[in-house]
Amino acid sequence: MKRSAALPALFCACVAQPVFTEPVLAQTVQDGFYTNGYAELGHFSTSGNGETYGYTETTLGFSDAGSGFGVEFGVDALITDTDDESAIYGALTYQSSIGKLSFGVPRSALDAYLQNVPTPGGLIILKLGQTGSVKRSFVTTSYLLGDDEVPVGLRYDGTFGATNVGASYQKFDDLDVYDLAANYRIGETLLTGALEHVSSGSQSETRYFLGVESKFGKVTAGMLYSGNVAFNNETALHAYAKYKPLDELELTATALSIDSGSGSDTLYGVSADYSFNQGLYVQAGVVDDLGSSSTDTFYNLTLGLRF
């Protein structure tokens, strides 16, 4: 893989301070085979500059109900006007009454438990850039965009009543990365907690995440607080609300405030997502800081497919 400069460079040029609406993954299962993910073609622009891109997060798998053994393959891929990047995952799996184990190159456990949190305006550069670190594993973005080693390790996912638990370990670029995450549902409220511990030799740092999401009729609202201790001692507060006036239409408003210690920056985003039959969707979004810093207004338009 090559280190991509296209998306991060455009973002950094427009944001003075460093700061995934991301589709929630669907899943189709038939005869032991399953797929989940999405693929999209989009364009974003700001101040006369723009970028067209293609992006996908896809997982394909098979699980034998009799033995419990299976295989799982995944790919994250980004194609822009000037560059392309990809990250390949693959694991042997074993499903039992106490949960699912994955061995090889599994995805980080952290991402699956924070995927409900939307990216401001659905803007891909926020999801893949520094802003994405407030709700995404360090391994996931670095593996896709960097000249890094393959993250070999293992992962566990289990369900105990109303609690879903995930844990993973990955050896990555001389780093040991440990993820632990859990969701707990109480009625229409979902509570989330997660940790990511990164160590190398005698040095180590920990990131933590605390979230809550509740549904009130056609409105879903939530907050995610993260302490980015491993990356410049940043903390972030992510607040959002989703409104579904129609089954096919979802309107989302987000506010993301990041404090890097030397100052804070807040981004605001709105987006509209309209779903058609067979998983097809169209999304449009806008992101701005409302004049609080030198960030320009970003516009985003996306055509995608969930599967």
Side-chain angles (χ1 to χ4, degrees):
M1 293 181 295
K2 309 181 296 296
R3 184 171 297 276
S4 173
L7 293 174
L10 182 56
F11 175 65
C12 291
C14 301
V15 182
Q17 295 285 342
V19 278
F20 180 175
T21 301
E22 171 186 354
V24 176
L25 302 185
Q27 185 174 75
T28 302
V29 182
Q30 184 174 6
D31 298 328
F33 290 92
Y34 58 90
T35 63
N36 66 70
Y38 66 96
E40 61 184 36
L41 176 65
H43 182 85
F44 63 86
S45 60
T46 180
S47 300
N49 296 315
E51 187 88 64
T52 299
Y53 68 90
Y55 183 70
T56 186
E57 292 181 11
T58 300
T59 299
L60 308 173
F62 171 77
S63 181
D64 179 69
S67 66
F69 287 98
V71 293
E72 192 168 275
F73 299 96
V75 59
D76 293 354
L78 172 68
I79 301 174
T80 72
D81 296 334
T82 57
D83 206 351
D84 61 270
E85 303 291 337
S86 62
I88 307 299
Y89 298 89
L92 297 175
T93 65
Y94 178 69
Q95 183 77 49
S96 70
S97 60
I98 63 171
K100 177 182 177 181
L101 290 171
S102 304
F103 307 87
V105 188
R107 294 183 181 274
S108 300
L110 183 70
D111 297 349
Y113 292 81
L114 300 178
Q115 68 177 0
N116 287 341
V117 180
T119 300
L123 201 61
I124 191 71
I125 55 174
L126 296 184
K127 177 177 179 178
L128 300 182
Q130 288 175 308
T131 305
S133 65
V134 304
K135 65 183 188 72
R136 202 165 153 91
S137 171
F138 159 75
V139 173
T140 304
T141 300
S142 297
Y143 183 33
L144 174 63
L145 297 182
D147 297 312
D148 299 297
E149 297 176 356
V150 174
V152 177
L154 55 89
R155 172 173 166 173
Y156 167 78
D157 293 277
T159 299
F160 305 92
T163 304
N164 296 316
V165 178
S168 62
Y169 163 75
Q170 291 163 297
K171 185 73 175 179
F172 183 67
D173 259 8
D174 297 324
L175 299 174
D176 295 299
V177 183
Y178 302 86
D179 284 1
L180 177 63
N183 289 337
Y184 178 68
R185 182 168 294 280
I186 308 174
E188 295 294 333
T189 299
L190 184 68
L191 303 177
T192 300
L195 294 171
E196 183 166 71
H197 182 75
V198 182
S199 64
S200 178
S202 61
Q203 297 183 334
S204 65
E205 299 287 354
T206 301
R207 307 166 63 201
Y208 57 91
F209 306 82
L210 297 171
V212 59
E213 180 181 278
S214 292
K215 187 175 181 179
F216 311 92
K218 295 183 178 182
V219 176
T220 300
M223 300 180 67
L224 177 69
Y225 179 79
S226 63
N228 234 345
V229 180
F231 304 95
N232 302 320
N233 293 316
E234 291 179 346
T235 59
L237 180 62
H238 197 145
Y240 59 93
K242 307 174 187 178
Y243 173 56
K244 296 198 71 169
L246 304 171
D247 290 341
E248 302 86 358
L249 178 63
E250 182 172 77
L251 307 177
T252 303
T254 59
L256 174 58
S257 179
I258 293 185
D259 188 343
S260 61
S262 59
S264 62
D265 197 13
T266 302
L267 293 178
Y268 303 90
V270 293
S271 63
D273 185 308
Y274 190 89
S275 299
F276 300 90
N277 292 331
Q278 307 302 319
L280 187 68
Y281 66 91
V282 175
Q283 183 185 84
V286 179
V287 178
D288 195 82
D289 64 357
L290 301 184
S292 62
S293 72
S294 60
T295 305
D296 293 328
T297 302
F298 281 82
Y299 302 92
N300 180 56
L301 181 63
T302 301
L303 173 66
L305 179 67
R306 302 184 181 99
F307 43 83

